[in-house]
Amino acid sequence: MTTDLRPADVTMLRDMVAMLVDRKAPTEIIGAGTKRAIGRPTNVEYLLDLSKLAGIHEYEPNELVLTCGAGTPLWTIESALESNNQQLAFEPMDYGPLLGGPAARGTIGGVLSANLSGPRRFKAGAARDHFLGVQAVSGRGEIFKGGGKVVKNVTGYDMCKLLAGSWGTLALMSEVTIKVLPAPEDTQTLVLHGQNVADAVAAMTLAAQSPHEVSGAAWLPESGETLLRIEGFPESVKARLAAMQALLAGLPGEQSILDAADSQARWQMVRDVEPLQATQEWPVWRISLPPASAPEVWQALMASVGVAGYLDWAGGLLWFAVDPGLADGGAGTIRGVLATNGGGHATLIRGAAGLRSGVAVFPPMSAGLEALQGRIKGNFDPNGILNRGRMAGF
Amino acid sequence: MLRMPEPDAVVLARRVQIAEDLRAMLPADSVIADEHQRRVYESDGLTAYRQLPMIVVLPETTAQVSQVLKYCSENNVKIVPRGAGTSLSGGALPLADGVTLGLGKFKQVLDIDLPNRCAVVQPGVTNLGVTQAVQHLGFYYAPDPSSQIACTIGGNVAENSGGVHCLKYGTTTNNILGLEMVLMDGEVIRIGGKHLDAELYDLMGVICGSEGLLGVITEVTVRILPRPATARALLIGFPSNETAGDCVANIISAGIIPGGMEMMDRPAIHAAEAFVHAGYPLDVEALLIVELDGPKAEVDELIERVRVIAESAGSVSLRISNTEAERESFWAGRKAAFPAVGRISPDYYCMDGTIPRGALAKVLNRMAELSEQYGLRVANVFHAGDGNLHPLILYDANKPGELEAAEDFGADILRLCVEVGGVLTGEHGVGVEKRDLMPEMFTEDDLKHQIRVKCAFDPEQLLNPGKVFPTLHRCAEMGRMHIRAGQMPFPDLPRF
């Protein structure tokens, strides 16, 4: 039986954490709770829900920054940006439907804590690259801030980077400042049909090496399509699309073009892992790898543990579903294949609680690196109360 | 004046022995103990401060770096890492009882991997050297600090260096994929690789910009980008700083992120023009250089859009580059701004705050008042796109009291930056220069959390002490918990 805590402001949050520290009470941290099924299952006494720390505090479109409560729903931010023709360039994905829940429920704090991004990641960066400033309460029950509210800043350590992707294990964010950017005026997608993995990676590599600023490059094996997204000012999109068509004309595959509306729908599907949403029993891995290794990795994994998957980030991201009958969810095979193909890492995003208890959900590290990470955890959360055991042994 | 940590008399007394021990683990020419040769390393780009290092070492391999750090760790000897020594904030300022560890011999480009759009380089490769290694293939490395011909990629990682193109392309932290680093105890760690995103905590993000306080970087994997097809620039004069600032805001709100957007005020324009004769208009109060890069169709379209925006913001002169030579001439004055100011004053002191751009007019007006108050002239160059301001305070170090006045003036400017919602440093780093101003921006608890990161990497605080943090806290003291049972604000918590 857990007790729910819902602080209304940062002072209350600090006092609650101080109480939890005093009781050495293991606590789970949530925003909207859309990603609770990711990570190793934990036993907690308290649930600290940050969803009341919501609301946009400052938004100056001309300064390209937005400051808000960490519990602010992502859609609140996205609709504020949309009315100023701006966007979050890192295109944060939504894990909701992949994990069997509703769509469009996450908070900005959750997006940053999981360092989410979408298809534009390989060009525009991930959440961490747009995370400018933070106010948080560490596992010591102290309020601290890091970064600033301007787009360029090197004053002190970059605490935002430390918290991005830390899954609530170091501190609880109360307020965040993020960089926002103009939204493109137009979007078109060049589709190459009849593509196998080698065709697709060859085309995506050529596109990514070109100066045509491709902002999405994915391969969907079900339909045999390679998708190449071009965004920007209409005249520019038109010119670059034509240049891309000419560049790839010698490669295998018929070409077609998706207009702005179809592009948006298709890239949202790629972003939110729609191809792997339906069969909820399949364990799903998120595999970050050197893009050029993608064909070898894909072939080796499909020949052994895989049932379905697709490539994003011009080959640098493999979403991969494995046979649900495998005892370790394919962890050993997947990590072994990466190790012999240029490196990378795999995180189990979807899996039954039993599987998540038994395998390393997050990538295992060298002993030295793990010890260093453990010291950071220990210095920020000496009693190990914040999402203890969710990411690693600490 | 600046105070550094009290030198360790025990270490100083063992100087000869330490040099001898280091010689046993390094090639003969890699240990510099002779005073005349050590003198070369006594300062960095912040030349107002000098300190002769106890010993200088120039290792050649990661294994040697590891051995040196392990030895120094065991013998309680401090280390100051150094790249090319171009820091403008004293990040590589030596310590009297410290070993300066130079990475100058790590000069190899190890791997150029076009299919993965990255290059693996040693930390002593210059920033421009990375671009030069890949430019024949149509690629480049995006961050381009002004010191790029000299500064090294290892130093860029330590300082999270930016440059004039970073609004569009990001700073160093957005352009690196992997690192090899040696911790103070000699342990070698590897983070990242040729793939994206951290495995667990984003240590690369923390190390980038940590100013040599967390470890010694021995290898860097950088992203390389295809070179933009075209670049063209506009050179636009305005009758006031306000109108120039409005133009910048209107460009951004029109959804345009230029590759570069630089502003100069009247004193900077006149100094630059007198120096390089770039053809800058002399009858304007502010000059804006807007560079657009990308596909030709896009650049041509945006040049036109920016022209319309500039004219409606009240520009009084406007030129558009039609050739590469013309574009470069627009930049010539801006790029020479620092030496140009150096010509009109015996000394100058370069500041580096970032402000919300909306506060530009207020900050410039207040700066003019301060200039009057201190009796020192100031010229401003400004990375207008990202709000990074470089006021150059003109002074004469030979006039008694002028250096101190310049420093006080500079500190007032940085306080002003923080007051309007900005930060102390946009790209030059804290180093020793802004160390004592950190409490203007951060509370004690803010700083303690940063120091706790430091303690995870270097618990004895032997790496570059005296930089960044105004007070040295012992790590053991940082570990204490200050919460006591019975004093809890919510004894019966379940009511929430």
Side-chain angles (χ1 to χ4, degrees):
Chain A
M1 179 69 195
T2 59
T3 306
D4 290 8
L5 306 175
R6 271 189 212 90
D9 59 42
V10 68
T11 313
M12 199 185 286
L13 171 62
R14 191 232 1 241
D15 293 344
M16 286 174 171
V17 175
M19 182 280 298
L20 296 166
V21 169
D22 189 49
R23 296 183 183 191
K24 297 189 168 44
T27 303
E28 182 179 353
I29 323 301
I30 63 166
T34 57
K35 294 181 276 293
R36 294 181 74 182
I38 300 176
R40 192 149 42 169
T42 54
N43 286 317
V44 297
E45 292 169 29
Y46 290 90
L47 186 69
L48 229 170
D49 173 344
L50 301 179
S51 59
K52 282 171 83 177
L53 302 177
I56 294 174
H57 303 160
E58 291 168 49
Y59 172 34
E60 294 289 339
N62 286 345
E63 302 286 348
L64 304 174
V65 295
L66 182 147
T67 300
C68 63
T72 309
L74 189 59
W75 64 264
T76 305
I77 295 167
E78 287 182 331
S79 61
L81 295 177
E82 207 179 309
S83 39
N84 287 284
N85 298 319
Q86 292 192 329
Q87 65 175 9
L88 298 175
F90 57 98
E91 206 177 4
M93 66 168 302
D94 180 3
Y95 274 126
L98 179 68
L99 300 175
R105 291 266 313 280
T107 63
I108 188 68
V111 165
L112 295 167
S113 293
N115 189 30
L116 296 188
S117 60
R120 209 181 283 113
R121 199 271 177 252
F122 73 101
K123 176 169 185 285
R128 54 94 76 183
D129 296 291
H130 299 80
F131 189 9
L132 302 173
V134 67
Q135 179 195 59
V137 175
S138 71
R140 295 175 164 272
E142 293 167 352
I143 300 171
F144 71 98
K145 69 171 179 300
K149 294 181 177 176
V150 289
V151 295
K152 192 172 175 194
N153 176 20
V154 295
T155 320
Y157 295 150
D158 193 341
M159 303 299 274
C160 296
K161 299 284 189 299
L162 182 64
L163 296 189
S166 67
W167 291 84
T169 60
L170 297 175
L172 301 100
M173 300 180 202
S174 48
E175 185 185 83
V176 299
T177 298
I178 48 179
K179 180 177 175 180
V180 301
L181 284 166
E185 290 180 7
D186 189 22
T187 302
Q188 305 270 314
T189 301
L190 175 61
V191 186
L192 304 180
H193 299 270
Q195 302 268 290
N196 64 29
V197 68
D199 297 336
V201 174
M204 293 192 291
T205 302
L206 203 53
Q209 289 175 342
S210 79
H212 308 314
E213 298 185 0
V214 176
S215 69
W219 172 61
L220 303 172
E222 285 279 285
S223 57
E225 290 171 329
T226 297
L227 309 175
L228 298 164
R229 180 171 64 180
I230 308 243
E231 300 173 296
F233 300 96
E235 313 73 18
S236 170
V237 170
K238 197 173 149 200
R240 283 183 288 148
L241 196 57
M244 285 285 298
Q245 286 180 288
L247 177 72
L248 302 177
L251 266 53
E254 296 245 330
Q255 299 183 352
S256 67
I257 288 167
L258 299 178
D259 66 12
D262 286 347
S263 286
Q264 201 208 347
R266 193 68 71 92
W267 286 102
Q268 185 169 329
M269 186 204 99
V270 171
R271 187 193 74 182
D272 295 342
V273 206
E274 202 179 289
L276 307 182
Q277 285 174 7
T279 314
Q280 285 283 318
E281 301 76 54
W282 289 345
V284 171
W285 291 87
R286 179 181 181 275
I287 302 172
S288 174
L289 70 166
S293 308
E296 288 72 27
V297 170
W298 169 263
Q299 278 156 357
L301 293 183
M302 280 312 281
S304 52
V305 295
V307 291
Y310 67 96
L311 291 169
D312 195 1
W313 299 356
L317 177 67
L318 169 59
W319 284 105
F320 200 68
V322 294
D323 180 344
L326 295 163
D328 72 344
T333 305
I334 290 170
R335 288 176 174 146
V337 165
L338 287 176
T340 52
N341 281 282
H345 57 75
T347 306
L348 179 65
I349 294 298
R350 188 175 71 195
L355 176 60
R356 286 184 286 122
S357 302
V359 301
V361 170
F362 288 88
M365 285 169 297
S366 67
L369 212 44
E370 180 150 356
L372 177 58
Q373 306 242 13
R375 290 196 294 276
I376 292 175
K377 167 74 174 173
N379 287 354
F380 276 71
D381 178 21
N383 293 320
I385 59 168
L386 305 179
N387 281 344
R388 179 198 292 172
R390 185 174 187 181
M391 286 187 92
F394 39 75
Chain B
M1 264 319 256
L2 181 77
R3 286 176 59 108
M4 293 303 281
E6 209 51 48
D8 183 334
V10 179
V11 168
L12 284 176
R14 297 185 57 229
R15 193 180 96 80
V16 173
Q17 180 64 46
I18 292 168
E20 200 169 304
D21 291 346
L22 290 168
R23 274 197 197 95
M25 57 187 83
L26 296 172
D29 65 346
S30 289
V31 179
I32 300 170
D34 160 81
E35 180 177 336
H36 178 67
Q37 284 181 282
R38 274 186 288 146
R39 192 65 66 193
V40 176
Y41 298 89
E42 71 177 358
S43 190
D44 60 13
L46 186 70
T47 49
Y49 301 114
R50 284 166 203 279
Q51 169 62 56
L52 199 60
M54 180 175 73
I55 299 167
V56 177
V57 295
L58 305 170
E60 294 174 346
T61 65
T62 301
Q64 288 170 3
V65 172
S66 167
Q67 261 187 301
V68 169
L69 292 189
K70 185 165 188 290
Y71 169 83
C72 288
S73 179
E74 287 165 354
N75 289 276
N76 206 35
V77 178
K78 302 179 183 90
I79 289 277
V80 176
R82 182 183 175 104
T86 56
S87 169
L88 292 169
S89 55
L93 181 70
L95 294 167
D97 60 342
V99 171
T100 288
L101 190 155
L103 280 306
K105 293 188 176 179
F106 284 75
K107 281 191 183 160
Q108 302 295 313
V109 174
L110 301 172
D111 180 18
I112 294 169
D113 184 348
L114 285 195
N116 287 314
R117 281 87 69 192
C118 66
V120 183
V121 301
Q122 290 191 316
V125 174
T126 61
N127 172 288
L128 191 61
V130 178
T131 288
Q132 284 169 341
V134 297
Q135 66 187 2
H136 63 290
L137 303 164
F139 283 74
Y140 77 116
Y141 175 63
D144 58 344
S146 308
S147 55
Q148 68 177 164
I149 55 165
C151 67
T152 64
I153 201 77
N156 288 180
V157 172
E159 302 291 327
N160 188 15
S161 305
V164 297
H165 291 96
C166 63
L167 181 67
K168 184 168 176 185
Y169 296 103
T171 59
T172 306
T173 192
N174 313 113
N175 287 281
I176 57 174
L177 293 171
L179 291 178
E180 180 189 76
M181 187 172 87
V182 186
L183 301 181
M184 190 63 215
D185 64 4
E187 171 141 14
V188 180
I189 58 170
R190 294 190 69 90
I191 302 168
K194 293 180 175 179
H195 55 275
L196 294 166
D197 291 347
E199 280 89 347
L200 208 66
Y201 298 145
D202 188 355
L203 297 184
M204 194 154 59
V206 179
I207 291 161
C208 194
S210 64
E211 306 198 20
L213 270 72
L214 299 183
V216 176
I217 292 146
T218 47
E219 188 189 291
V220 188
T221 303
V222 301
R223 296 172 62 199
I224 52 173
L225 303 180
R227 190 165 276 290
T230 3
R232 289 175 72 192
L234 299 97
L235 185 71
I236 316 165
F238 290 92
S240 67
N241 291 318
E242 282 86 347
T243 45
D246 289 346
C247 180
V248 171
N250 294 343
I251 290 170
I252 300 278
S253 63
I256 301 168
I257 301 292
M261 183 148 57
E262 295 291 308
M263 185 169 151
M264 299 164 76
D265 71 358
R266 188 181 183 93
I269 299 165
H270 282 252
E273 183 58 23
F275 184 32
V276 295
H277 312 292
Y280 287 176
L282 295 174
D283 55 348
V284 299
E285 287 299 317
L287 192 63
L288 204 58
I289 302 171
V290 182
E291 178 166 292
L292 297 146
D293 63 0
K296 188 177 180 306
E298 175 172 324
V299 171
D300 292 350
E301 165 70 20
L302 294 188
I303 286 275
E304 197 44 35
R305 290 197 197 187
V306 171
R307 186 184 64 78
V308 171
I309 292 168
E311 284 171 354
S312 60
S315 65
V316 289
S317 78
L318 191 144
R319 289 170 58 200
I320 295 171
S321 75
N322 286 310
T323 63
E324 245 336 75
E326 209 171 354
R327 183 182 70 85
E328 279 165 14
S329 78
F330 291 0
W331 280 104
R334 166 60 186 90
K335 288 193 170 166
F338 288 21
V341 167
R343 278 177 77 242
I344 60 168
S345 171
D347 299 284
Y348 68 90
Y349 184 35
C350 173
M351 308 310 297
D352 174 47
T354 302
I355 56 171
R357 273 184 286 93
L360 179 65
K362 179 181 175 182
V363 168
L364 291 180
N365 289 337
R366 180 82 186 107
M367 220 185 287
E369 289 168 26
L370 287 168
S371 168
E372 196 110 324
Q373 181 190 321
Y374 283 99
L376 295 174
R377 289 177 297 163
V378 61
N380 274 289
V381 296
F382 186 47
H383 299 306
D386 49 35
N388 188 196
L389 195 59
H390 290 313
L392 303 167
I393 300 169
L394 281 51
Y395 72 101
D396 182 350
N398 288 325
K399 288 191 188 156
E402 279 217 346
L403 170 62
E404 290 73 18
E407 287 182 336
D408 290 347
F409 185 3
D412 280 350
I413 291 173
L414 294 184
R415 285 189 194 99
L416 176 62
C417 291
V418 174
E419 185 192 308
V420 301
V423 299
L424 295 172
T425 172
E427 58 184 359
H428 295 172
V430 176
V432 293
E433 186 203 21
K434 305 170 199 85
R435 183 192 71 187
D436 296 337
L437 289 170
M438 287 288 270
E440 298 286 337
M441 190 169 145
F442 294 116
T443 66
E444 184 74 12
D445 278 350
D446 297 342
L447 291 172
K448 277 186 176 171
H449 279 84
Q450 295 190 28
I451 295 169
R452 287 184 181 116
V453 173
K454 163 79 170 169
C455 290
F457 283 81
D458 174 26
E460 300 304 323
Q461 308 205 48
L462 291 170
L463 259 171
N464 222 4
K467 317 287 170 69
V468 182
F469 299 112
T471 326
L472 280 179
H473 290 276
R474 290 179 49 234
C475 286
E477 179 193 325
M478 301 304 301
R480 266 181 228 140
M481 299 285 291
H482 296 286
I483 291 157
R484 295 284 173 275
Q487 297 169 8
M488 288 302 105
F490 298 101
D492 303 311
L493 201 93
R495 66 196 157 103
F496 287 97

